[in-house]
Amino acid sequence: MSPVRICSRTACKAPAVFTLTYVYRDSTAVLGPLATYAEPHCYDLCAEHSERLTAPMGWELVRLPVETPSEPSADDLEALADAVREAAKPAPGGVEPVGQATEVGRRGHLRVLRSEPAGTQPTQE
């Protein structure tokens, strides 16, 4: 199975970029960005077929705005690098704080812990 979905129109092998959905109750056809996964009552369309699309007589066609992916700018990449550097710095004092908690339950290898307020000792049950 191909990871790229193709246009739903007969004999069209172009990659799909839009999804068409009909809302029968409102007599509306909605054309929007390609859905995350294929649904049985939706139609995937290529750019050419989506441009030529018309709604049935008496119906309204709603075209949702499509965000165009943009290349990251140098500022975006620099901000990302700064954030990674900041996250990699060791905690002040070199020791990470460790909280106190009491185990209140267990299921398999998972434990349920209840946090204790700072300055109090866990109680033994």
Side-chain angles (χ1 to χ4, degrees), residues 5-124:
R5 298 196 326 242
I6 60 170
C7 184
S8 297
R9 296 293 302 258
T10 304
C12 181
K13 301 296 180 199
V17 291
F18 296 99
T19 297
L20 172 66
T21 306
Y22 289 105
V23 182
Y24 293 96
R25 182 179 355 165
D26 299 331
S27 299
T28 305
V30 181
L31 183 68
L34 187 63
T36 307
Y37 53 91
E39 296 200 26
H41 300 290
C42 295
Y43 302 92
D44 295 334
L45 298 176
C46 64
E48 180 182 348
H49 284 117
S50 65
E51 288 173 12
R52 299 187 322 190
L53 179 71
T54 59
M57 189 171 291
W59 284 52
E60 180 182 2
L61 176 61
V62 175
R63 292 180 186 266
L64 299 177
V66 178
E67 295 178 13
T68 56
S70 61
E71 293 294 319
S73 69
D75 291 339
D76 293 338
L77 295 175
E78 189 172 335
L80 179 61
D82 289 343
V84 169
R85 282 188 209 105
E86 187 67 30
K89 286 183 182 177
V95 178
E96 291 187 22
V98 177
Q100 297 294 321
T102 304
E103 183 176 324
V104 294
R106 183 178 283 268
R107 176 172 269 174
H109 67 283
L110 302 175
R111 297 184 307 160
V112 178
L113 302 175
R114 179 177 48 229
S115 296
E116 301 294 334
T120 62
Q121 296 295 324
T123 58
Q124 299 295 327

